[in-house]
Amino acid sequence: MGKKELGVAFLLALRSLQRGSRSSVVLTVIIIAMCFTNMVFLPGLFNGIGEGIITQIVDYEVGNVLVAPKSGEQYVTDLDATLDRINSMPGVARATPHFSKGATLKYRQRVLGVSVKAIKPGDEKYVSPLYSKMVTGSYLGEDDTGEVIIGKPVAGDATIKQEDEFQASLGGVRVGDAITIEYGNGYTKDYRVKGIYSTGWSSTDNNVFVTWSDMELVEGKPLDYAEYITVKAKPGYDEKYIKDTLQQYGVTEYVQTTGDLLKKAMGSVMQSFAIINMVSLLVGIIITTVVLFIVITIKTLNSRRQIGILKAIGVDKEVIMHTYGLQVVIMSLLGIFFGIIITALIGVYLSVNPIVTPEWSATLYLTPLDYLTNSLILFMASVVAGYVPAYQVSREDIQSAMRA
Amino acid sequence: MIEITGLRRTYRMGAVEVKALDGLDLTIEKGEFLGIMGASGSGKTTLLHLLGLLDQPTSGRILIDGLDVSTLTDYEKTMFRLYKLGYVFQDYALVPDLTVLENVSLPAMLRKDRTEEQVTKDSFSILQKIGLCDRKDHLPRELSGGQQQRVSIARAMVNKPDILFADEPCANLDSENSRMVLDLFREINEEMKQTIIMVSHEDWHKEYFHRIVRLKDGKIVSDGLNEKKHAGQGTG
Ligand SMILES: Nc1ncnc2c1ncn2[C@@H]1O[C@H](COP(=O)(O)OP(=O)(O)OP(=O)(O)O)[C@@H](O)[C@H]1O
Ligand SMILES: [Mg+2]
């Protein structure tokens, strides 16, 4: 098969698409584009949901590496020394402790049970974007006392009546208002609301935060222990590497990467996603294959005499085969191209208008590799679907083809 | 030169055997304009297809310029048809999606010994010959039957074949267009010394042939020079 033969096959293929039945070409291309979209959309959405959840878990729950008490213990002890040790490790951007205590909030007639979290505001900034999520007021200062920041759903909305509320709140707390916090140990104190935040991550939005110094007052002693420490990695450092170094350098606490935690938490979810992805992939491939097979088979059957004539005037059977095969190649490339455009447009739309639920928000998450593998899979499937009938018709004996 | 000896072609339809060609011996000289005539079903198309390497004889031998064509492989036969033979069919058989120019160029484009410029040059010169240069960008369906058949002749001639085969090329044409096509054949035959083997069952066509072979039930019943024609050629 030389260059000239391929050139002639390409010319015949192109002209047949251009000047043959337009509607059949357009429909075929649309079907392939739709199959492509179907193949990448659901997996992309699931990836988007997964990525969104993972980002929020990293941001608001565990950082890149979570240091938790060793088994049998309630707290990470010897906190200052542990923090110093972790912070001095290569690859660690910052480690920050967390300590929470059950409490009851009181504001006017409202009472609400929440978990009050103590943080070191300065360090927390390196690990969590909470500071950037203030909707009114401002974030906690390092040594603030008597100040609290609260999540938007906790603050509530004064315009909504209590019985109409989706979830219980304080009924419209505003920055500067005073709220009373009564801790589980009986310690009670009035705090000024310094800021109200909204992260979109529901468990954080249902918390309130006070400074570490304030919590020491609650505990009545210096807080040299924490429930857990979250660690942020410097850019370019692998979580696993940090976990290994921490363990190697004598951090005896229970160290887990986000990956470790997600594997436990999301394993079964990911499995269900994988099954749905596989089904949508198979459906896409099968529809594309069947449609192309039918289109090309009809085309070849309708042009049997034509094919006989071409052979008679000295066109080799390889050229005939590629004439029909290349039509499929061209249509499938066009289909995949439009499929990529369609999914990219949906992706752009979703990034501007994410699918939002109270628990998470999601955009379409597709990497160039996803596009590439799906394109290749679909392309291969269509080439097979097109070349099988093309091969068959090209082998037909001249006499029977010409008399068709 | 084509030499045929003991040519037989039998079609087997279940228990029935149809002897489409029943032992033909024939020699066709270079530059001849040969007419094959005979009633419907007498084996004209079968003979043409065998000579044109579109079909295999049941027995017998065909030598083209001394070459026993039965020794050629499938691919070699394809190349032989591309380089040495030209075909004109009753129904024109142009590629409907190609323009006139593309149809005519098609066989030339496949030849390894032709540059792109040569293909263009040859295609234009043959289009000029059939007088359809101004229609080069038209599709076959936009032409009349006579014009389409002239395009089909141009396609057959673009590679300057040794032998041109035509199976009832005028069957779908009125007498005026038939004459146009036959005049074109005569011109090609005379100017280029082109061997032409043409099947026809119109009696008046024979004035164009040098020699007429008549078939009946797969056998040659007469084979004679067209006296008037030859006399004309002799003096012309
Ligand atoms: N594929 C085939 N299978 C069976 N019989 C065939 C086949 N092709 C031709 N025949 C028979 O062979 C004989 C000669 O056929 P052929 O087509 O050569 O005739 P012809 O002289 O060209 O006729 P016409 O003038 O009608 O075109 C006929 O009896 C025909 O029925
Ligand atoms: Mg016939």
Side-chain angles (χ1 to χ4, degrees), chain A residues 399-400 403, chain B residues 9-13 16-21 36-49 55 90 167-168 199-201 215 217-218:
Chain A
Q399 279 298 306
S400 32
R403 288 181 194 258
Chain B
R9 178 67 167 98
T10 319
Y11 293 106
R12 194 174 280 286
M13 313 261 291
V16 191
E17 237 185 31
V18 181
K19 288 180 177 166
L21 286 183
I36 301 175
M37 304 190 83
S40 182
S42 56
K44 306 182 293 293
T45 298
T46 305
L47 175 60
L48 208 69
H49 282 191
D55 193 10
Q90 179 179 330
D167 193 354
E168 305 201 34
V199 168
S200 163
H201 56 209
L215 295 183
D217 299 332

CSV table of all heavy atoms in Angstrom, one decimal, chain A residues 399-400 403, chain B residues 9-13 16-21 36-49 55 90 167-168 199-201 215 217-218, ligand 1:
chain,number,residue,atom,x,y,z
A,399,GLN,N,-16.7,-10.6,-10.7
A,399,GLN,CA,-17.8,-11.0,-11.4
A,399,GLN,C,-19.1,-10.8,-10.7
A,399,GLN,O,-20.1,-10.1,-11.1
A,399,GLN,CB,-17.7,-12.5,-11.9
A,399,GLN,CG,-16.8,-12.7,-13.0
A,399,GLN,CD,-17.4,-12.0,-14.3
A,399,GLN,OE1,-18.5,-12.2,-14.7
A,399,GLN,NE2,-16.6,-11.1,-14.9
A,400,SER,N,-19.2,-11.3,-9.4
A,400,SER,CA,-20.4,-11.2,-8.7
A,400,SER,C,-20.7,-9.7,-8.3
A,400,SER,O,-21.8,-9.3,-8.2
A,400,SER,CB,-20.4,-12.1,-7.4
A,400,SER,OG,-19.1,-12.3,-6.9
A,403,ARG,N,-22.0,-7.8,-11.4
A,403,ARG,CA,-23.4,-8.2,-11.9
A,403,ARG,C,-24.4,-7.9,-10.8
A,403,ARG,O,-25.6,-8.2,-11.0
A,403,ARG,CB,-23.4,-9.7,-12.2
A,403,ARG,CG,-22.7,-10.0,-13.5
A,403,ARG,CD,-22.7,-11.5,-13.8
A,403,ARG,NE,-21.8,-11.8,-14.9
A,403,ARG,CZ,-22.1,-12.0,-16.2
A,403,ARG,NH1,-23.3,-11.8,-16.6
A,403,ARG,NH2,-21.2,-12.3,-17.1
B,9,ARG,N,-16.0,-21.3,-21.2
B,9,ARG,CA,-16.4,-20.8,-19.9
B,9,ARG,C,-17.8,-21.4,-19.6
B,9,ARG,O,-18.7,-21.2,-20.4
B,9,ARG,CB,-16.5,-19.3,-19.9
B,9,ARG,CG,-17.1,-18.6,-18.6
B,9,ARG,CD,-16.1,-18.9,-17.5
B,9,ARG,NE,-16.4,-18.0,-16.3
B,9,ARG,CZ,-17.0,-18.5,-15.2
B,9,ARG,NH1,-17.4,-19.7,-15.2
B,9,ARG,NH2,-17.2,-17.7,-14.2
B,10,THR,N,-17.8,-22.2,-18.6
B,10,THR,CA,-19.1,-22.9,-18.2
B,10,THR,C,-19.6,-22.4,-16.9
B,10,THR,O,-18.8,-22.2,-15.9
B,10,THR,CB,-18.8,-24.4,-18.1
B,10,THR,OG1,-17.9,-24.8,-19.2
B,10,THR,CG2,-20.1,-25.2,-18.2
B,11,TYR,N,-20.9,-22.0,-16.9
B,11,TYR,CA,-21.5,-21.7,-15.6
B,11,TYR,C,-22.2,-22.9,-15.1
B,11,TYR,O,-23.0,-23.5,-15.8
B,11,TYR,CB,-22.5,-20.5,-15.8
B,11,TYR,CG,-21.8,-19.2,-16.1
B,11,TYR,CD1,-21.9,-18.7,-17.4
B,11,TYR,CD2,-21.0,-18.5,-15.2
B,11,TYR,CE1,-21.2,-17.5,-17.8
B,11,TYR,CE2,-20.4,-17.3,-15.5
B,11,TYR,CZ,-20.5,-16.8,-16.8
B,11,TYR,OH,-19.9,-15.6,-17.2
B,12,ARG,N,-22.0,-23.2,-13.8
B,12,ARG,CA,-22.8,-24.3,-13.3
B,12,ARG,C,-23.8,-23.8,-12.3
B,12,ARG,O,-23.6,-23.0,-11.4
B,12,ARG,CB,-21.8,-25.2,-12.5
B,12,ARG,CG,-22.3,-26.5,-12.1
B,12,ARG,CD,-21.2,-27.3,-11.5
B,12,ARG,NE,-20.3,-27.9,-12.5
B,12,ARG,CZ,-20.6,-28.9,-13.2
B,12,ARG,NH1,-21.8,-29.5,-13.1
B,12,ARG,NH2,-19.7,-29.4,-14.1
B,13,MET,N,-25.1,-24.1,-12.7
B,13,MET,CA,-26.2,-23.7,-11.9
B,13,MET,C,-26.9,-24.9,-11.3
B,13,MET,O,-27.8,-25.4,-12.0
B,13,MET,CB,-27.2,-22.8,-12.7
B,13,MET,CG,-26.6,-21.8,-13.6
B,13,MET,SD,-26.7,-20.2,-12.8
B,13,MET,CE,-28.4,-19.9,-12.9
B,16,VAL,N,-27.6,-27.9,-13.8
B,16,VAL,CA,-27.6,-27.4,-15.1
B,16,VAL,C,-26.2,-26.8,-15.4
B,16,VAL,O,-25.7,-26.0,-14.6
B,16,VAL,CB,-28.7,-26.3,-15.4
B,16,VAL,CG1,-28.8,-26.0,-16.9
B,16,VAL,CG2,-30.0,-26.8,-14.8
B,17,GLU,N,-25.7,-27.0,-16.6
B,17,GLU,CA,-24.4,-26.4,-17.0
B,17,GLU,C,-24.7,-25.5,-18.2
B,17,GLU,O,-25.3,-26.0,-19.2
B,17,GLU,CB,-23.4,-27.5,-17.4
B,17,GLU,CG,-22.2,-27.5,-16.6
B,17,GLU,CD,-21.1,-28.5,-17.1
B,17,GLU,OE1,-21.1,-28.8,-18.3
B,17,GLU,OE2,-20.4,-29.0,-16.3
B,18,VAL,N,-24.3,-24.3,-18.1
B,18,VAL,CA,-24.5,-23.4,-19.2
B,18,VAL,C,-23.1,-23.1,-19.8
B,18,VAL,O,-22.2,-22.7,-19.2
B,18,VAL,CB,-25.1,-22.0,-18.7
B,18,VAL,CG1,-25.3,-21.1,-19.9
B,18,VAL,CG2,-26.4,-22.2,-18.0
B,19,LYS,N,-23.0,-23.5,-21.1
B,19,LYS,CA,-21.8,-23.3,-21.8
B,19,LYS,C,-21.8,-21.9,-22.4
B,19,LYS,O,-22.3,-21.7,-23.6
B,19,LYS,CB,-21.6,-24.3,-22.9
B,19,LYS,CG,-21.3,-25.7,-22.3
B,19,LYS,CD,-21.1,-26.7,-23.4
B,19,LYS,CE,-20.7,-28.1,-22.8
B,19,LYS,NZ,-20.8,-29.1,-23.8
B,20,ALA,N,-21.4,-20.9,-21.7
B,20,ALA,CA,-21.4,-19.5,-22.2
B,20,ALA,C,-20.5,-19.3,-23.3
B,20,ALA,O,-20.8,-18.7,-24.3
B,20,ALA,CB,-21.1,-18.6,-21.0
B,21,LEU,N,-19.3,-20.0,-23.2
B,21,LEU,CA,-18.3,-20.0,-24.3
B,21,LEU,C,-17.9,-21.4,-24.5
B,21,LEU,O,-17.6,-22.1,-23.6
B,21,LEU,CB,-17.1,-19.1,-24.0
B,21,LEU,CG,-17.3,-17.6,-24.1
B,21,LEU,CD1,-16.0,-16.9,-23.8
B,21,LEU,CD2,-17.9,-17.1,-25.4
B,36,ILE,N,-17.7,-7.4,-31.7
B,36,ILE,CA,-18.2,-8.7,-31.3
B,36,ILE,C,-19.7,-8.6,-31.3
B,36,ILE,O,-20.3,-7.8,-30.6
B,36,ILE,CB,-17.7,-9.2,-29.9
B,36,ILE,CG1,-16.2,-9.3,-29.9
B,36,ILE,CG2,-18.3,-10.5,-29.6
B,36,ILE,CD1,-15.6,-9.6,-28.6
B,37,MET,N,-20.4,-9.4,-32.2
B,37,MET,CA,-21.8,-9.3,-32.3
B,37,MET,C,-22.5,-10.6,-32.1
B,37,MET,O,-21.8,-11.6,-32.0
B,37,MET,CB,-22.2,-8.7,-33.7
B,37,MET,CG,-21.5,-7.4,-34.0
B,37,MET,SD,-22.0,-6.5,-35.5
B,37,MET,CE,-23.4,-5.7,-34.9
B,38,GLY,N,-23.8,-10.5,-32.0
B,38,GLY,CA,-24.5,-11.8,-31.7
B,38,GLY,C,-25.7,-11.5,-30.9
B,38,GLY,O,-25.8,-10.5,-30.2
B,39,ALA,N,-26.6,-12.5,-30.8
B,39,ALA,CA,-27.9,-12.3,-30.1
B,39,ALA,C,-27.6,-12.3,-28.6
B,39,ALA,O,-26.5,-12.6,-28.1
B,39,ALA,CB,-28.8,-13.5,-30.4
B,40,SER,N,-28.6,-11.9,-27.9
B,40,SER,CA,-28.5,-11.8,-26.5
B,40,SER,C,-28.3,-13.2,-25.9
B,40,SER,O,-28.9,-14.2,-26.4
B,40,SER,CB,-29.8,-11.2,-25.9
B,40,SER,OG,-29.7,-11.1,-24.5
B,41,GLY,N,-27.3,-13.3,-25.0
B,41,GLY,CA,-27.1,-14.6,-24.4
B,41,GLY,C,-26.1,-15.5,-25.2
B,41,GLY,O,-25.8,-16.6,-24.9
B,42,SER,N,-25.5,-14.9,-26.3
B,42,SER,CA,-24.6,-15.6,-27.1
B,42,SER,C,-23.2,-15.7,-26.5
B,42,SER,O,-22.4,-16.5,-27.1
B,42,SER,CB,-24.6,-15.0,-28.5
B,42,SER,OG,-24.2,-13.7,-28.4
B,43,GLY,N,-22.9,-15.0,-25.5
B,43,GLY,CA,-21.6,-15.1,-24.8
B,43,GLY,C,-20.7,-13.9,-25.1
B,43,GLY,O,-19.5,-14.0,-24.7
B,44,LYS,N,-21.2,-12.8,-25.6
B,44,LYS,CA,-20.3,-11.6,-25.9
B,44,LYS,C,-19.7,-11.0,-24.6
B,44,LYS,O,-18.5,-10.8,-24.6
B,44,LYS,CB,-21.2,-10.5,-26.6
B,44,LYS,CG,-22.0,-11.0,-27.8
B,44,LYS,CD,-22.7,-9.9,-28.4
B,44,LYS,CE,-23.9,-9.3,-27.6
B,44,LYS,NZ,-25.0,-10.3,-27.4
B,45,THR,N,-20.5,-10.8,-23.6
B,45,THR,CA,-20.0,-10.2,-22.4
B,45,THR,C,-19.0,-11.2,-21.7
B,45,THR,O,-17.9,-10.8,-21.2
B,45,THR,CB,-21.1,-9.9,-21.4
B,45,THR,OG1,-22.0,-8.9,-22.0
B,45,THR,CG2,-20.6,-9.3,-20.1
B,46,THR,N,-19.3,-12.4,-21.7
B,46,THR,CA,-18.4,-13.4,-21.2
B,46,THR,C,-17.1,-13.4,-21.8
B,46,THR,O,-16.0,-13.4,-21.1
B,46,THR,CB,-19.1,-14.8,-21.3
B,46,THR,OG1,-20.4,-14.8,-20.7
B,46,THR,CG2,-18.2,-15.9,-20.6
B,47,LEU,N,-17.1,-13.3,-23.1
B,47,LEU,CA,-15.8,-13.3,-23.9
B,47,LEU,C,-15.0,-12.0,-23.5
B,47,LEU,O,-13.8,-12.1,-23.2
B,47,LEU,CB,-16.1,-13.3,-25.4
B,47,LEU,CG,-14.8,-13.1,-26.3
B,47,LEU,CD1,-13.8,-14.2,-26.0
B,47,LEU,CD2,-15.2,-13.1,-27.8
B,48,LEU,N,-15.7,-10.9,-23.5
B,48,LEU,CA,-15.1,-9.6,-23.2
B,48,LEU,C,-14.4,-9.7,-21.7
B,48,LEU,O,-13.3,-9.2,-21.5
B,48,LEU,CB,-16.1,-8.5,-23.3
B,48,LEU,CG,-15.5,-7.1,-23.6
B,48,LEU,CD1,-15.0,-7.2,-25.1
B,48,LEU,CD2,-16.4,-6.0,-23.4
B,49,HIS,N,-15.2,-10.2,-20.8
B,49,HIS,CA,-14.7,-10.3,-19.4
B,49,HIS,C,-13.5,-11.2,-19.3
B,49,HIS,O,-12.6,-10.9,-18.5
B,49,HIS,CB,-15.8,-10.7,-18.5
B,49,HIS,CG,-16.8,-9.6,-18.1
B,49,HIS,ND1,-17.7,-9.7,-17.1
B,49,HIS,CD2,-16.9,-8.4,-18.6
B,49,HIS,CE1,-18.4,-8.6,-17.0
B,49,HIS,NE2,-17.9,-7.8,-18.0
B,55,ASP,N,-12.5,-12.3,-15.4
B,55,ASP,CA,-13.1,-13.6,-15.2
B,55,ASP,C,-12.1,-14.6,-15.6
B,55,ASP,O,-11.1,-14.3,-16.3
B,55,ASP,CB,-14.4,-13.7,-16.0
B,55,ASP,CG,-15.2,-14.9,-15.6
B,55,ASP,OD1,-15.0,-15.5,-14.5
B,55,ASP,OD2,-16.2,-15.2,-16.3
B,90,GLN,N,-21.7,-0.4,-20.4
B,90,GLN,CA,-23.0,0.0,-20.9
B,90,GLN,C,-23.6,1.2,-20.1
B,90,GLN,O,-24.1,2.1,-20.6
B,90,GLN,CB,-23.9,-1.2,-21.0
B,90,GLN,CG,-25.3,-0.9,-21.5
B,90,GLN,CD,-26.1,-2.2,-21.5
B,90,GLN,OE1,-25.6,-3.3,-21.6
B,90,GLN,NE2,-27.4,-2.0,-21.3
B,167,ASP,N,-18.3,-2.8,-23.7
B,167,ASP,CA,-19.5,-3.7,-23.7
B,167,ASP,C,-20.7,-2.9,-24.0
B,167,ASP,O,-21.3,-2.3,-23.1
B,167,ASP,CB,-19.5,-4.5,-22.4
B,167,ASP,CG,-20.5,-5.6,-22.5
B,167,ASP,OD1,-21.2,-5.8,-23.5
B,167,ASP,OD2,-20.5,-6.4,-21.5
B,168,GLU,N,-21.2,-3.0,-25.2
B,168,GLU,CA,-22.4,-2.3,-25.6
B,168,GLU,C,-22.5,-0.8,-25.1
B,168,GLU,O,-23.4,-0.4,-24.3
B,168,GLU,CB,-23.7,-3.0,-25.1
B,168,GLU,CG,-23.7,-4.5,-25.5
B,168,GLU,CD,-25.0,-5.1,-25.5
B,168,GLU,OE1,-26.0,-4.4,-25.8
B,168,GLU,OE2,-25.1,-6.3,-25.3
B,199,VAL,N,-18.4,-4.8,-28.0
B,199,VAL,CA,-19.5,-5.7,-28.1
B,199,VAL,C,-20.7,-4.8,-28.5
B,199,VAL,O,-20.9,-3.7,-28.0
B,199,VAL,CB,-19.9,-6.3,-26.8
B,199,VAL,CG1,-21.2,-7.0,-26.8
B,199,VAL,CG2,-18.8,-7.4,-26.4
B,200,SER,N,-21.5,-5.3,-29.5
B,200,SER,CA,-22.6,-4.6,-29.9
B,200,SER,C,-23.7,-5.5,-30.5
B,200,SER,O,-23.3,-6.6,-31.0
B,200,SER,CB,-22.2,-3.6,-31.0
B,200,SER,OG,-23.4,-3.1,-31.7
B,201,HIS,N,-24.9,-5.2,-30.4
B,201,HIS,CA,-25.9,-6.0,-31.2
B,201,HIS,C,-26.7,-5.1,-32.1
B,201,HIS,O,-27.7,-5.5,-32.6
B,201,HIS,CB,-26.7,-7.0,-30.4
B,201,HIS,CG,-27.5,-6.3,-29.3
B,201,HIS,ND1,-27.8,-7.0,-28.1
B,201,HIS,CD2,-28.0,-5.1,-29.1
B,201,HIS,CE1,-28.5,-6.2,-27.3
B,201,HIS,NE2,-28.6,-5.1,-27.9
B,215,LEU,N,-21.0,-14.3,-32.6
B,215,LEU,CA,-21.2,-15.4,-31.7
B,215,LEU,C,-22.6,-15.9,-31.8
B,215,LEU,O,-23.5,-15.2,-32.0
B,215,LEU,CB,-20.8,-15.0,-30.3
B,215,LEU,CG,-19.4,-14.6,-30.0
B,215,LEU,CD1,-19.3,-14.3,-28.5
B,215,LEU,CD2,-18.4,-15.6,-30.4
B,217,ASP,N,-24.6,-19.0,-29.4
B,217,ASP,CA,-24.5,-20.1,-28.4
B,217,ASP,C,-23.0,-20.4,-27.9
B,217,ASP,O,-22.7,-21.6,-27.8
B,217,ASP,CB,-25.1,-21.4,-28.9
B,217,ASP,CG,-26.6,-21.1,-29.2
B,217,ASP,OD1,-27.2,-20.2,-28.5
B,217,ASP,OD2,-27.2,-21.8,-30.1
B,218,GLY,N,-22.3,-19.4,-27.8
B,218,GLY,CA,-20.9,-19.6,-27.3
B,218,GLY,C,-19.9,-20.0,-28.3
B,218,GLY,O,-18.8,-20.4,-28.0
C,1,LIG,N1,-23.0,-15.5,-13.6
C,1,LIG,C1,-23.6,-16.4,-14.5
C,1,LIG,N2,-24.2,-17.5,-14.0
C,1,LIG,C2,-24.9,-18.3,-14.8
C,1,LIG,N3,-25.0,-18.1,-16.1
C,1,LIG,C3,-24.4,-17.0,-16.6
C,1,LIG,C4,-23.8,-16.1,-15.8
C,1,LIG,N4,-23.3,-15.1,-16.6
C,1,LIG,C5,-23.7,-15.4,-17.9
C,1,LIG,N5,-24.4,-16.5,-17.9
C,1,LIG,C6,-25.0,-17.2,-19.1
C,1,LIG,O1,-24.0,-17.3,-20.1
C,1,LIG,C7,-24.6,-17.0,-21.3
C,1,LIG,C8,-23.8,-15.9,-22.0
C,1,LIG,O2,-24.0,-14.7,-21.3
C,1,LIG,P1,-23.4,-13.3,-21.7
C,1,LIG,O3,-23.7,-12.3,-20.6
C,1,LIG,O4,-22.0,-13.5,-22.1
C,1,LIG,O5,-24.3,-13.0,-23.0
C,1,LIG,P2,-24.3,-11.7,-23.9
C,1,LIG,O6,-24.0,-12.1,-25.3
C,1,LIG,O7,-23.5,-10.6,-23.3
C,1,LIG,O8,-25.8,-11.2,-23.8
C,1,LIG,P3,-26.5,-9.8,-23.9
C,1,LIG,O9,-26.4,-9.3,-25.3
C,1,LIG,O10,-27.8,-10.0,-23.4
C,1,LIG,O11,-25.6,-8.9,-23.0
C,1,LIG,C9,-26.0,-16.7,-21.1
C,1,LIG,O12,-26.8,-17.9,-21.4
C,1,LIG,C10,-26.1,-16.4,-19.6
C,1,LIG,O13,-27.3,-16.8,-19.1
